[in-house]
C-alpha cells in the first residue's frame, strides 16, 4: 500500500475543529452573491412584491375618497407700526423667523382654534360632519354630557383634518382641510383660516387692552404713593423749618440727582458772596489808604485830577502872578495888591481843605469797608451755623424727597406709555392676512393609485429583500466554487455544470460536450493532486445522489481513453448504481463475491466496457458491508490488483450515517469528495470531511457537481462558454 503518513494542512485541521468561521454572513456582501440571492429567491421575491402590489390595489379601491381644499395666509412678522406703542413685543430676530412660522402652524392646528371653528360653524350639531353622533344621543349620557362629547369630537376632527404647509422661501402658509365631502373641505379650510386671522387680531387687541388696564392700575397705585411721599416730605420740612426756593430734587446735567437750594442755603450763599465782595473791597481800600497815608494831600492823584481843586489852583496862580506884577509896578502899598494877597491866602486855604477832604474820604472809605467786613463776617458765622444745623435735618428730608422724585418719574413714564398704547388701541396690529379663499376641490387627493402602488412596490420589495436575506442567512448550502474553497478549506478539483435539462447519455457519449470537457479538466486536476502510478482513489460524498457514481464512471472512462488501465469498483454495497451507467442490469455476482472468493475476478467484470477499463459491479448480497470493508480480504485484494492497474477507483457510499467510506479511505491513496451545488449543506459536508480526516483519509480535493451559474450570481455563459472552446459541429 502507498498509504504513507502525512501531516494535515491548516485548512484540514480547521475542519476537524468545532468552529464554524466559514459561514459568516458577511461573505454575502459582494455583488456576485447579491445577484445569486436575487436569482435563487426570484420566485419568492416576485411573489411577495406581487402580493404587495395587489394589496395596494385592493386598499386603494376600498379606501374612501378624501378631498382637500386649501386657503393661503400671509404672515408678516415685521408689521408697519403707525404710532409708538402699537407693538407690545420686540421685533423677531431674523434667525428666529423659521421658529416663528412653525409656532403659527402649531397655533392653527391647536384645540383652541378648533373649538372656535366648531362654535362658529355649529359643527357639533351638523349630521353631515359628525354623522349619527349629532342626532343620536347615547343612553348613558345626559343632554349636557352629550353636547360636550359632540363638541369634543367635532374639535378633534377639525384639529386632525387641518394641515399647514410652511414654505421655505416665502411667508405665505397654506392651510388645508381634508374631508370625504369636497364642499365641507372648502368650508372648513376657510373657517379655520378666518378664525386664525381673527384670533390673531383679537389676541393683539386683548393684549393692548390688558396693557392699558395694567398701566392704569399701576399709575393709580403710584399716584397714591407719590401723594403720600410728597405729604411726608412737606410735613417733615414744615416741622424742621426747611424751606426750598425750588423743587428740592432736580435732574443734574449728567443724569444724576442734585439738591436745589433751600432758604438757609440761599442766605448762606448770599451772605458769603457779600462777605467775599466786602472783604475784597476792604483789602482794596486798605491798600489804597496805606499807599497815600504819608503822601501830602496835594500830591494825591485824586487831588490832581479834581477839576474844582485845579480851578482853584489855577485862580491862585493867576492871583499870584498879578500880585507879583503889581508889587513890581506899584509897591506894597497899592490897594489892589492887598486884595490879591487876601484872595491868594483864601484860595490856598480852600485848596488845602479840599485836598485834605479828598485824602480823608479815602481813609473813611477804608474804615467803612473794614466795618462792613466785620459785620458780614459775624453774619456769615451765624448763617453757617444755621446751615450746618439744617444739613443734619436735611439727611432725612432729602431721602424723603428722593423717594417722591422717583415715584414722580415712574408716574410720568407710565403715563407716557399709557398714552402711547391708548393712541394705538384702535389700530389693527395683526400680522396675518388672508390671501386666497379655499375653493371646492374638483377631485380627491387620496387614495392615489400610482402613489399607493409605488408604496406597495417599495414596501413589498423591502419585505421581499428582508425575507430573502433572512432565508439566505439561515441557509448554509454550498453554491459556488468560492464557497467550497473558503468554507471547506479544501482545494477545488473542478466542477461540472448542471445538465438536468439535457440527456445525460448524449452528454456522456459526446467527447466535446460541456460535461465531458468539465470531467476532462477534473481528471487533469486529480493527476496533479494525486501524482504517481498504481494509485487507489476513493470517490464519495456527504449524502446520496450528488453525482458521485457519474463522476467515478466518467473519470474512469477518461483515464481509460488515455491508455491507462483502470479498474472501477462499485463499493456501494447498499445501493449500487454503477451497473446502470454502463447500460447493464444488476448482475448476480459482483465485487462481494470476488472478495469472498465465490467467483473469479474476470467473471465479475461487466462485459462490453471501453478499452482499458474494467468495471466490477455489486450484486445482491446479504453480507454486512462494514465487516467486509474492514476485513483483510479487501486489503489483500487492493494489494493484488494495484500493480496490474494504473488506477483503481472505488465508487463509495455517502459518508453521513455510514462507516463504509471512512473504512475505504484507509486503503485509498486519496479521496475525492463530491459536493452537489445548491444541495449540500456546509455543516453536513464539514462533518463528513471531518469524519474522513478523523479516519486518516487524505482528501485530494472537492468536485462541485450540478453547478448552476445563475444560482451562484454568475452569467449563464460563465461555464457553458468556458467549456465550449473551438468550433462545435452543428445539428
Amino acid at each position: 500500500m502507498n498509504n504513507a503518513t502525512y501531516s494535515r494542512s491548516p485548512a484540514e485541521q480547521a475542519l476537524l475543529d468545532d468552529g464554524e468561521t466559514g459561514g459568516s454572513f458577511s461573505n454575502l456582501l459582494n455583488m456576485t452573491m447579491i445577484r445569486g440571492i436575487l436569482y435563487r429567491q426570484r420566485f419568492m421575491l416576485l411573489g411577495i412584491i406581487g402580493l404587495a402590489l395587489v394589496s395596494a390595489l385592493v386598499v386603494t379601491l376600498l379606501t374612501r375618497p378624501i378631498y382637500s381644499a386649501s386657503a393661503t395666509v400671509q404672515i408678516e412678522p415685521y408689521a408697519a407700526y403707525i404710532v409708538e406703542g402699537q407693538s407690545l413685543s420686540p421685533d423677531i430676530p431674523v434667525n428666529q423667523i423659521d421658529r416663528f412660522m412653525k409656532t403659527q402652524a402649531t397655533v392653527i392646528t391647536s384645540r383652541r382654534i378648533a373649538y372656535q371653528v366648531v362654535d362658529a360653524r355649529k359643527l357639533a350639531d351638523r349630521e353631515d360632519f359628525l354623522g349619527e353622533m349629532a342626532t343620536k344621543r347615547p343612553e348613558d349620557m345626559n343632554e349636557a354630557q352629550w353636547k360636550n362629547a359632540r363638541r369634543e369630537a367635532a374639535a378633534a376632527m377639525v384639529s386632525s383634518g387641518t394641515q399647514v404647509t410652511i414654505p421655505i422661501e416665502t411667508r405665505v402658509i397654506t392651510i388645508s382641510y381634508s374631508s370625504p365631502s369636497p364642499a365641507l373641505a372648502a368650508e372648513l379650510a376657510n373657517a379655520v383660516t378666518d378664525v386664525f386671522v381673527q384670533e390673531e387680531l383679537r389676541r393683539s387687541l386683548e393684549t393692548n387692552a390688558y396693557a392699558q388696564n395694567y398701566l392704569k392700575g399701576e399709575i393709580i397705585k403710584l399716584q397714591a404713593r407719590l401723594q403720600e411721599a410728597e405729604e411726608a416730605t412737606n410735613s417733615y420740612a414744615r416741622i424742621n423749618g426747611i424751606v426750598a426756593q425750588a423743587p428740592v430734587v432736580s435732574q443734574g446735567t449728567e443724569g444724576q440727582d442734585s439738591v436745589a437750594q433751600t432758604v438757609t442755603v440761599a442766605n448762606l450763599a448770599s451772605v458769603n458772596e457779600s462777605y467775599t465782595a466786602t472783604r475784597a473791597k476792604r483789602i482794596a481800600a486798605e491798600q489804597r489808604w496805606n499807599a497815600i497815608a504819608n503822601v501830602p494831600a496835594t500830591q494825591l492823584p485824586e487831588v490832581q485830577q479834581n477839576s474844582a481843586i485845579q480851578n482853584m489852583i489855577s485862580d491862585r496862580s493867576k492871583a499870584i502872578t498879578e500880585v507879583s506884577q503889581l508889587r513890581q509896578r506899584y509897591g506894597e502899598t497899592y490897594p489892589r495888591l492887598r486884595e490879591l494877597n487876601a484872595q491868594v491866602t483864601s484860595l490856598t486855604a480852600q485848596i488845602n481843605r479840599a485836598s485834605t477832604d479828598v485824602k480823608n474820604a479815602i481813609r473813611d472809605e477804608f474804615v467803612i469797608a473794614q466795618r462792613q467786613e466785620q459785620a458780614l463776617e459775624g453774619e456769615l458765622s451765624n448763617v453757617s451755623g444755621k446751615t450746618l444745623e439744617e444739613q443734619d435735618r436735611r439727611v432725612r428730608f432729602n431721602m424723603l424727597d428722593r423717594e417722591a422724585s422717583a415715584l414722580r418719574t415712574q408716574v410720568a413714564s407710565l403715563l407716557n406709555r399709557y398714552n402711547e398704547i391708548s393712541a394705538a388701541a384702535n389700530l389693527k396690529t395683526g400680522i396675518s392676512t388672508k390671501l386666497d379663499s379655499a375653493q371646492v376641490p374638483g377631485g380627491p387627493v387620496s387614495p392615489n393609485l400610482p402613489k399607493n402602488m409605488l408604496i406597495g412596490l417599495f414596501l413589498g420589495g423591502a419585505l421581499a429583500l428582508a425575507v430573502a436575506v433572512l432565508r439566505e442567512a439561515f441557509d448554509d448550502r454550498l453554491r459556488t466554487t468560492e464557497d467550497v474553497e473558503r468554507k471547506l478549506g479544501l482545494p477545488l478539483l473542478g466542477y461540472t455544470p448542471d445538465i438536468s435539462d439535457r440527456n445525460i447519455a448524449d452528454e456522456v457519449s459526446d467527447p466535446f460536450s460541456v460535461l465531458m470537457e468539465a470531467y476532462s479538466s477534473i481528471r487533469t486536476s486529480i493527476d496533479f493532486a494525486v501524482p504517481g502510478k498504481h494509485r487507489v482513489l476513493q470517490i464519495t460524498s456527504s449524502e446520496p445522489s450528488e453525482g458521485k457514481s457519474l463522476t467515478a464512471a466518467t473519470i474512469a472512462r477518461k483515464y481509460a481513453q488515455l491508455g491507462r488501465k483502470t479498474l472501477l469498483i462499485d463499493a456501494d454495497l447498499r445501493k449500487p448504481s454503477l451497473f446502470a451507467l454502463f447500460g447493464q442490469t444488476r448482475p448476480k455476482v459482483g465485487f462481494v463475491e470476488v472478495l469472498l472468493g465465490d467467483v473469479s475476478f474476470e467473471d465479475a467484470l461487466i462485459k462490453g466496457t471501453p478499452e482499458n477499463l474494467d468495471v466490477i459491479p455489486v450484486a445482491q448480497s446479504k453480507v454486512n458491508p462494514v465487516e467486509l470493508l474492514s476485513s483483510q480480504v479487501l486489503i489483500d485484494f487492493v494489494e493484488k490488483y494495484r500493480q496490474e492497474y494504473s488506477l483503481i477507483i472505488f465508487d463509495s457510499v455517502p459518508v453521513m450515517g455510514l462507516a463504509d467510506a471512512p473504512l475505504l479511505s484507509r486503503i485509498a491513496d486519496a479521496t475525492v469528495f463530491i459536493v452537489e451545488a445548491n444541495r449540500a449543506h456546509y455543516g453536513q459536508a464539514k462533518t463528513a470531511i471531518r469524519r474522513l480526516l478523523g479516519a486518516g483519509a487524505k482528501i485530494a480535493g472537492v468536485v462541485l457537481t450540478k453547478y448552476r451559474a445563475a444560482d451562484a450570481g454568475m452569467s449563464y455563459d460563465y461555464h457553458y462558454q468556458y467549456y465550449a472552446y473551438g468550433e462545435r459541429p452543428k445539428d
Side-chain angles (χ1 to χ4, degrees):
M1 292 178 58
N2 292 337
N3 284 345
T5 59
Y6 65 98
S7 60
R8 296 187 179 95
S9 65
E12 293 173 337
Q13 186 62 41
L15 288 167
L16 290 174
D17 297 336
D18 292 332
E20 296 187 4
T21 59
S24 175
F25 181 67
S26 62
N27 293 325
L28 294 175
L29 301 179
N30 59 74
M31 291 305 299
T32 300
M33 296 303 296
I34 291 175
R35 287 195 300 268
I37 292 174
L38 294 178
Y39 182 80
R40 293 190 295 271
Q41 306 290 340
R42 62 188 180 280
F43 298 111
M44 185 274 297
L45 291 171
L46 293 176
I48 294 179
I49 293 174
L51 182 61
L53 291 175
V54 171
S55 300
L57 178 61
V58 172
V59 169
T60 301
L61 295 177
L62 296 179
T63 302
R64 187 179 183 183
I66 299 297
Y67 297 85
S68 179
S70 302
T72 56
V73 176
Q74 179 182 357
I75 303 295
E76 186 55 59
Y78 302 116
Y81 303 125
I82 300 175
V83 296
E84 292 186 6
Q86 193 171 347
S87 172
L88 296 178
S89 60
D91 289 335
I92 301 172
V94 176
N95 59 351
Q96 298 293 323
I97 293 297
D98 182 64
R99 182 177 297 180
F100 173 77
M101 298 292 285
K102 291 180 179 178
T103 302
Q104 298 302 311
T106 304
V107 171
I108 293 172
T109 58
S110 65
R111 299 280 290 191
R112 178 184 178 92
I113 297 295
Y115 284 134
Q116 295 185 37
V117 173
V118 170
D119 296 339
R121 298 288 176 170
K122 298 181 180 180
L123 299 178
D125 301 327
R126 291 173 55 173
E127 186 176 1
D128 62 336
F129 184 73
L130 281 182
E132 294 183 355
M133 185 178 182
T135 56
K136 294 183 179 181
R137 185 182 70 182
E139 296 180 356
D140 57 344
M141 289 186 182
N142 56 34
E143 188 66 27
Q145 292 175 339
W146 182 38
K147 181 178 180 180
N148 184 66
R150 295 201 315 271
R151 187 170 184 265
E152 291 293 333
M157 292 176 62
V158 171
S159 181
S160 61
T162 303
Q163 300 89 31
V164 180
T165 303
I166 303 176
I168 298 177
E169 298 179 352
T170 65
R171 295 174 186 166
V172 177
I173 63 176
T174 301
I175 302 175
S176 304
Y177 189 84
S178 301
S179 172
S181 171
L184 195 59
E187 177 186 356
L188 291 185
N190 288 322
V192 172
T193 303
D194 293 338
V195 167
F196 168 69
V197 174
Q198 295 171 3
E199 171 69 11
E200 197 281 324
L201 179 58
R202 184 184 61 80
R203 188 167 59 250
S204 177
L205 295 177
E206 286 182 353
T207 303
N208 278 343
Y210 172 79
Q212 282 183 285
N213 295 332
Y214 174 78
L215 290 176
K216 186 175 182 180
E218 291 298 313
I219 289 172
I220 293 175
K221 293 179 183 178
L222 287 176
Q223 286 177 339
R225 290 178 56 190
L226 176 60
Q227 183 178 358
E228 294 176 359
E230 289 180 342
E231 290 177 353
T233 303
N234 292 336
S235 176
Y236 184 84
R238 186 182 301 108
I239 293 173
N240 292 275
I242 299 174
V243 180
Q245 294 179 336
V248 174
V249 180
S250 61
Q251 191 69 21
T253 57
E254 297 182 357
Q256 298 182 353
D257 294 339
S258 61
V259 180
Q261 291 181 346
T262 63
V263 172
T264 302
V265 174
N267 289 339
L268 175 62
S270 177
V271 171
N272 185 59
E273 183 179 359
S274 299
Y275 172 75
T276 301
T278 302
R279 179 180 175 82
K281 184 178 179 181
R282 189 268 305 170
I283 292 173
E286 183 178 5
Q287 290 178 348
R288 183 181 178 189
W289 169 247
N290 291 335
I292 65 171
N294 298 322
V295 177
T298 57
Q299 296 181 6
L300 296 178
E302 290 80 358
V303 173
Q304 294 177 357
Q305 295 175 0
N306 192 304
S307 58
I309 295 176
Q310 292 302 319
N311 290 332
M312 287 187 293
I313 292 174
S314 177
D315 293 341
R316 188 183 64 176
S317 297
K318 292 178 180 180
I320 291 173
T321 301
E322 188 177 357
V323 168
S324 178
Q325 292 175 354
L326 291 177
R327 180 178 292 120
Q328 292 176 1
R329 184 181 294 178
Y330 299 108
E332 293 291 341
T333 60
Y334 190 69
R336 176 63 181 167
L337 184 61
R338 288 194 298 271
E339 292 179 1
L340 289 173
N341 288 331
Q343 183 179 358
V344 169
T345 301
S346 176
L347 288 173
T348 300
Q350 291 179 4
I351 291 170
N352 290 333
R353 284 196 304 272
S355 299
T356 301
D357 290 340
V358 171
K359 187 175 182 178
N360 289 338
I362 294 173
R363 185 193 60 187
D364 293 342
E365 183 179 353
F366 161 65
V367 173
I368 293 171
Q370 190 177 34
R371 291 176 180 176
Q372 287 178 347
E373 179 186 8
Q374 293 174 353
L376 287 175
E377 184 177 4
E379 181 64 20
L380 179 62
S381 176
N382 182 32
V383 174
S384 297
K386 292 181 179 180
T387 303
L388 292 175
E389 293 177 358
E390 186 185 62
Q391 286 180 351
D392 295 335
R393 298 191 300 271
R394 285 183 60 187
V395 173
R396 173 63 179 170
F397 175 81
N398 290 338
M399 184 174 63
L400 293 174
D401 201 66
R402 285 192 182 92
E403 181 180 357
S405 179
L407 292 173
R408 194 178 298 112
T409 302
Q410 293 180 31
V411 170
S413 177
L414 290 179
L415 283 173
N416 183 52
R417 186 60 173 161
Y418 178 79
N419 292 332
E420 291 176 353
I421 295 177
S422 298
N426 296 325
L427 296 176
K428 179 181 178 181
T429 59
I431 61 174
S432 59
T433 305
K434 184 177 181 181
L435 294 181
D436 298 324
S437 300
Q439 304 296 324
V440 177
V445 294
S446 67
N448 188 325
L449 181 58
K451 179 180 178 182
N452 291 349
M453 295 299 288
L454 185 61
I455 293 175
L457 178 63
F458 175 77
L459 295 179
L463 178 61
L465 288 176
V467 173
V469 170
L470 286 176
R471 290 184 65 183
E472 291 290 332
F474 291 101
D475 186 358
D476 66 342
R477 284 180 290 182
L478 301 171
R479 304 183 186 279
T480 67
T481 57
E482 290 80 4
D483 287 345
V484 172
E485 292 182 325
R486 184 181 65 252
K487 295 183 178 180
L488 298 183
L490 295 174
L492 181 69
L493 299 176
Y495 64 90
T496 63
D498 180 28
I499 56 171
S500 58
D501 58 341
R502 303 187 184 190
N503 189 290
I504 296 180
D506 294 339
E507 290 290 321
V508 173
S509 62
D510 183 4
F512 298 103
S513 67
V514 292
L515 182 62
M516 291 299 101
E517 293 285 3
Y519 276 118
S520 296
S521 176
I522 293 171
R523 191 267 309 159
T524 303
S525 298
I526 293 175
D527 277 343
F528 286 109
V530 189
K533 298 181 180 180
H534 309 294
R535 295 166 295 173
V536 178
L537 189 66
Q538 176 189 217
I539 297 179
T540 185
S541 62
S542 61
E543 57 181 324
S545 303
E546 291 192 66
K548 167 179 58 62
S549 298
L550 178 62
T551 300
T554 306
I555 291 177
R557 289 175 184 271
K558 291 294 181 182
Y559 276 106
Q561 291 173 0
L562 293 176
R564 300 181 184 181
K565 192 173 182 181
T566 304
L567 175 62
L568 175 61
I569 302 174
D570 191 348
D572 189 348
L573 306 182
R574 304 170 189 274
K575 191 178 178 181
S577 61
L578 195 59
F579 61 87
L581 295 177
F582 290 90
Q584 303 291 325
T585 59
R586 188 166 186 174
K588 295 181 179 180
V589 294
F591 182 54
V592 175
E593 286 74 20
V594 173
L595 290 179
L596 296 178
D598 295 338
V599 296
S600 63
F601 178 78
E602 289 75 10
D603 293 338
L605 295 176
I606 294 178
K607 308 301 180 183
T609 57
E611 186 180 0
N612 296 323
L613 176 60
D614 292 335
V615 180
I616 300 179
V618 173
Q620 294 181 353
S621 176
K622 296 183 179 180
V623 177
N624 189 336
V626 176
E627 294 179 358
L628 183 61
L629 295 177
S630 61
S631 65
Q632 184 64 32
V633 294
L634 178 61
I635 298 175
D636 295 340
F637 175 83
V638 172
E639 290 297 328
K640 178 180 178 180
Y641 291 99
R642 175 189 290 271
Q643 298 303 321
E644 296 183 14
Y645 290 93
S646 175
L647 182 67
I648 298 176
I649 299 176
F650 282 98
D651 178 16
S652 182
V653 297
V655 177
M656 297 304 297
L658 302 174
D660 301 18
L663 290 174
L664 277 174
S665 66
R666 296 182 304 167
I667 62 174
D669 295 331
T671 298
V672 175
F673 192 76
I674 305 299
V675 173
E676 181 180 347
N678 300 300
R679 180 188 175 197
H681 292 272
Y682 160 68
Q684 189 175 7
K686 183 193 69 173
T687 303
I689 295 173
R690 184 186 297 158
R691 288 192 63 193
L692 292 173
L693 293 176
K698 180 180 179 181
I699 302 177
V702 179
V703 174
L704 184 66
T705 61
K706 303 178 185 179
Y707 175 72
R708 295 191 294 269
D711 287 343
M714 300 295 181
S715 64
Y716 177 81
D717 294 336
Y718 179 72
H719 62 264
Y720 290 106
Q721 294 297 332
Y722 181 78
Y723 288 119
Y725 178 77
E727 294 185 0
R728 299 293 304 276
K730 298 182 180 179
D731 295 338

